[in-house]
Amino acid sequence: MQNNYNINQLSLAMSTDYQPEENHSAYYIHQLVENLAVSNPNIIGRPREYDPRMLLKLVLLAYSYGIVSCRKIERFARENIVAMWLTQEQYPTYRTIARFIVSKDLTDMIESSFKEFHDYLQKAEMIDEASFIDGTKILANANKYSFVWKKRTIKYSNLNAAKAKQLINEMKQEVELDPQLSDFKIDELDTTIALLEQRIEELDAQVDAKPKVSPNPAKQERRHAKKYFRSLNHCRQKNLEYQTQIAVAGERNSYSKTDHDATFMRLKEDPMRNGQTKPAYNLQIMTNSQFVLGYELMQNPTDTRTLIPFLKQLDQNGVLGKDIVADAGYGSESNYKYIEDELPDHTAVIPYSTMLKENSRKWQSDDRKVMNWQYHAQDDYYVNPDGVRFNFKRYAYRTDRYGFRRDFKVYQAEKYDENHQFVSKALTPRGNLKQIMVNPQWEYFKAKARKSLSNSNTYSRRKYDVETVFGNLKAYLGFTRFTVRGLEKAKGQIGIALMALNMKKMADRPSIFSKYFIYQKDPFINLTKFRMDLFILGTYVTAP
């Protein structure tokens, strides 16, 4: 007997009676958003058509499936049965979704969700006191050829000022103007152009008064005045353009014309293999057990300069663990000093850049390295392998462009030995006495870093804890480029992607953990205690 299939048959429209399968990420997304206690007080203005909680649930679920396009999310809400369950069969348009993704409401909810998620994991004893920090670069939604380089802008600005000064000097010989133009300043070019316009109007009156005089000196002077007016006006426009570019760049070396917040950086994805820079953002995240507990989007391409502002944000949000674990790209004197001075209750498990090289046989046998020389602490002097003694001479310091000061001790070689014999190896090839500079504070931090790494087993977890998140973000979700422009909008979008990864991680745990969860109305609260062996296994499982 065949089934009676008739799509045109009249039927009673009812909401879909559906529940997602057990251990689905939709449950975690639903409970996480509900715990945010999002209010919708529309006192002034028209009421919202869709609840922000519903939109956030839909967007998180779509991002967990790797769907980023707003048009595809709209179709996803209409065709995916799990999305229909989350939205209760509400179908927002792609324009509504796009406006919501770049709204201030979403930014606030995402920031609150990370704090809520951290507190939940901590209460469930699913994370420990280690904070694994690393960064990656993600392409911005900008043209890769729309670059503005700050150094080149400054160069062209100086050339433009020199050109304007030369034009004014030439103009003084051909056009009669106020003698107060002796002191030239490029910022006061408007005054010069105003005086030139006034002189042109006077010459127009003189030419009109004597139309039949030929040759007319006033007409010749007016011709020269108009020529200089056009040239100086062009210089003024270029000066305003250069000043605007320098102001937009700020402390950065470059930016994109199509996304002023994006900075040109070198990415690992380099198909041309020529080190081409592209507009991107530097994403910094903090993880534990492969859960993202904090993130920040930076405009600085160097990881070393991003650690201090990132630690300030994590400490302010209350999610920073006791052990700060990062790779050698973060090991600098300024970072070590900040952690020791401002975060005394935390331990920096961060190697410095030359730590592995210093343990090599080649480094330890190199006579040029001061660390291989003999040091006599009582009299404060060094002796190199050639027997030349270097005595302390003076203190010195250097300040980098970021304002960080490094203090050094300068040691100078002795020209004569204890037998008053001339030591030729104490001189440079030009005949000057050799000198070395030692940074005691840097040596102290290096020794402290070696000790913390030798006494801790936490650093060995770094690679498969934080690097896995980047692999899932780019390979699993396919999030390799932003679809919005601007730092704040991009920060909100990457926050959605990272929280979607967290929800996917919660749902994709092995089935051995399913009996410890009771999936009813509140799966976040109905979590029983893990035994120690199960907790360790759950912490180190790689998922998804």
Side-chain angles (χ1 to χ4, degrees):
M1 183 176 180
Q2 296 181 354
N3 294 328
N4 184 15
Y5 174 74
N6 185 1
I7 199 172
N8 297 321
Q9 183 177 357
L10 180 63
S11 60
L12 179 62
M14 298 177 64
S15 60
T16 305
D17 184 14
Y18 170 79
Q19 290 288 332
E21 63 272 14
E22 188 178 2
N23 198 23
H24 198 282
S25 59
Y27 289 112
Y28 296 98
I29 293 174
H30 165 69
Q31 193 59 42
L32 175 70
V33 177
E34 292 297 329
N35 287 347
L36 296 180
V38 180
S39 60
N40 187 18
N42 275 59
I43 301 176
I44 301 176
R46 64 180 184 180
R48 294 172 178 171
E49 184 177 359
Y50 301 102
D51 194 300
R53 296 174 298 171
M54 183 274 294
L55 293 174
L56 181 58
K57 294 176 186 178
L58 173 63
V59 171
L60 283 174
L61 183 65
Y63 272 62
S64 66
Y65 281 81
I67 301 175
V68 180
S69 171
C70 294
R71 293 180 183 270
K72 292 183 179 179
I73 294 177
E74 178 188 3
R75 189 174 68 178
F76 177 76
R78 295 178 179 274
E79 298 178 355
N80 188 279
I81 192 169
V82 181
M84 294 168 63
W85 175 76
L86 273 180
T87 61
Q88 290 298 293
E89 300 189 13
Q90 298 183 63
Y91 308 118
T93 64
Y94 72 93
R95 293 182 182 273
T96 302
I97 299 171
R99 285 193 296 265
F100 174 73
I101 289 177
V102 299
S103 65
K104 186 67 169 55
D105 294 337
L106 178 124
T107 304
D108 296 339
M109 287 190 291
I110 286 295
E111 292 178 356
S112 302
S113 66
F114 275 94
K115 175 60 177 173
E116 181 76 21
F117 187 66
H118 171 270
D119 295 342
Y120 158 71
L121 293 177
Q122 194 174 45
K123 184 178 180 181
E125 298 181 1
M126 300 174 68
I127 58 175
D128 53 16
E129 290 296 330
S131 296
F132 300 95
I133 296 176
D134 204 354
T136 187
K137 298 176 179 64
I138 299 180
L139 283 172
N141 184 15
N143 191 325
K144 63 181 179 180
Y145 298 112
S146 61
F147 42 77
V148 175
W149 303 104
K150 184 178 180 180
K151 290 184 178 179
R152 188 161 295 183
T153 301
I154 294 175
K155 174 184 175 182
Y156 290 157
S157 178
N158 295 334
L159 292 176
N160 182 64
K163 178 181 177 181
K165 184 177 181 180
Q166 181 181 0
L167 287 172
I168 291 179
N169 293 333
E170 295 176 357
M171 181 183 62
K172 291 178 182 179
Q173 302 176 2
E174 301 181 6
V175 181
E176 296 181 4
L177 287 180
D178 198 327
Q180 66 179 0
L181 297 176
S182 57
D183 297 333
F184 169 75
K185 293 182 180 179
I186 187 66
D187 297 333
E188 300 178 357
L189 199 58
D190 293 341
T191 304
T192 304
I193 294 177
L195 294 174
L196 193 58
E197 287 180 335
Q198 183 179 358
R199 180 58 181 168
I200 292 175
E201 292 177 359
E202 295 176 357
L203 294 173
D204 287 339
Q206 295 179 13
V207 171
D208 294 339
K210 300 178 180 179
K212 297 183 179 181
V213 175
S214 180
N216 193 338
K219 186 178 292 186
Q220 295 178 355
E221 184 180 353
R222 185 182 63 176
R223 188 181 303 113
H224 291 298
K226 288 184 177 180
K227 180 187 70 173
Y228 288 114
F229 173 78
R230 290 190 296 268
S231 300
L232 289 176
N233 190 45
H234 176 73
C235 291
R236 180 183 62 177
Q237 297 297 332
K238 298 301 291 184
N239 178 62
L240 294 176
E241 178 183 346
Y242 294 143
Q243 295 301 322
T244 303
Q245 291 178 355
I246 293 174
V248 171
E251 297 182 356
R252 297 178 293 164
N253 294 327
S254 62
Y255 73 91
S256 173
K257 292 180 181 178
T258 50
D259 185 0
H260 290 176
D261 292 337
T263 307
F264 277 80
M265 310 176 184
R266 298 187 187 277
L267 280 73
K268 293 182 179 178
E269 296 82 5
D270 187 13
M272 299 296 294
R273 297 183 180 180
N274 57 358
Q276 182 183 13
T277 57
K278 298 177 182 178
Y281 292 99
N282 191 354
L283 172 63
Q284 299 290 315
I285 65 172
M286 188 271 283
T287 67
N288 191 298
S289 301
Q290 298 180 5
F291 292 111
V292 182
L293 306 179
Y295 76 100
E296 183 61 43
L297 212 58
M298 305 287 187
Q299 297 174 289
N300 197 322
T302 307
D303 288 341
T304 308
R305 308 302 310 176
T306 61
L307 182 62
I308 293 178
F310 189 38
L311 290 179
K312 290 180 180 178
Q313 177 195 347
L314 295 176
D315 187 46
Q316 183 179 2
N317 295 339
V319 298
L320 185 62
K322 299 297 182 182
D323 295 335
I324 302 174
V325 187
D327 58 14
Y330 297 87
S332 66
E333 183 180 350
S334 58
N335 291 339
Y336 288 139
K337 189 175 188 311
Y338 175 81
I339 295 175
E340 184 174 89
D341 295 344
E342 304 297 332
L343 303 172
D345 297 333
H346 298 73
T347 304
V349 189
I350 306 174
Y352 49 93
S353 58
T354 59
M355 186 170 178
L356 293 178
K357 293 182 179 180
E358 290 181 3
N359 296 329
S360 65
R361 183 180 302 176
K362 180 180 179 181
W363 186 286
Q364 294 178 357
S365 61
D366 191 351
D367 296 340
R368 296 172 298 177
K369 306 298 182 184
V370 179
M371 63 174 292
N372 298 328
W373 295 4
Q374 297 180 8
Y375 176 66
H376 300 266
Q378 184 175 0
D379 297 327
D380 194 14
Y381 68 90
Y382 285 89
V383 179
N384 68 358
D386 295 329
V388 181
R389 175 170 171 169
F390 286 77
N391 297 321
F392 171 74
K393 183 180 180 182
R394 61 184 175 87
Y395 290 99
Y397 69 91
R398 292 178 181 175
T399 305
D400 58 15
R401 63 172 181 169
Y402 300 101
F404 182 74
R405 170 171 169 167
R406 293 176 173 84
D407 297 317
F408 295 90
K409 296 177 70 175
V410 181
Y411 294 83
Q412 189 176 48
E414 282 189 349
K415 192 174 183 180
Y416 300 97
D417 59 10
E418 55 187 14
N419 297 324
H420 301 284
Q421 299 294 325
F422 175 73
V423 182
S424 59
K425 293 185 178 180
L427 301 179
T428 63
R430 294 188 177 184
N432 301 322
L433 285 174
K434 293 182 178 179
Q435 290 184 349
I436 59 173
M437 300 181 68
V438 179
N439 188 345
Q441 183 174 253
W442 176 232
E443 297 299 328
Y444 161 74
F445 286 133
K446 287 168 62 176
K448 187 176 180 180
R450 289 192 295 266
K451 182 179 179 181
S452 63
L453 286 165
S454 62
N455 296 336
S456 175
N457 297 325
T458 311
Y459 187 76
S460 59
R461 296 166 45 193
R462 187 197 66 84
K463 287 187 178 180
Y464 57 80
D465 197 295
V466 66
E467 298 289 354
T468 304
V469 175
F470 290 140
N472 291 334
L473 177 66
K474 293 185 176 181
Y476 176 73
L477 294 187
F479 195 97
T480 57
R481 180 171 178 168
F482 291 100
T483 60
V484 296
R485 294 180 177 178
L487 180 62
E488 293 300 324
K489 297 178 182 179
K491 184 178 178 181
Q493 187 178 32
I494 194 61
I496 300 173
L498 294 176
M499 184 51 67
L501 275 181
N502 288 338
M503 298 295 99
K504 190 69 175 175
K505 170 74 175 178
M506 291 290 297
D508 289 348
R509 285 182 173 272
S511 59
I512 189 174
F513 295 98
S514 60
K515 61 182 179 180
Y516 295 96
F517 294 90
I518 302 176
Y519 295 98
Q520 296 177 357
K521 294 183 178 180
D522 197 351
F524 269 66
I525 298 177
N526 296 326
L527 175 67
T528 61
K529 297 292 184 179
F530 289 130
R531 294 199 307 265
M532 183 55 65
D533 53 344
L534 294 178
F535 168 70
I536 295 175
L537 179 60
T539 303
Y540 294 98
V541 165
T542 303

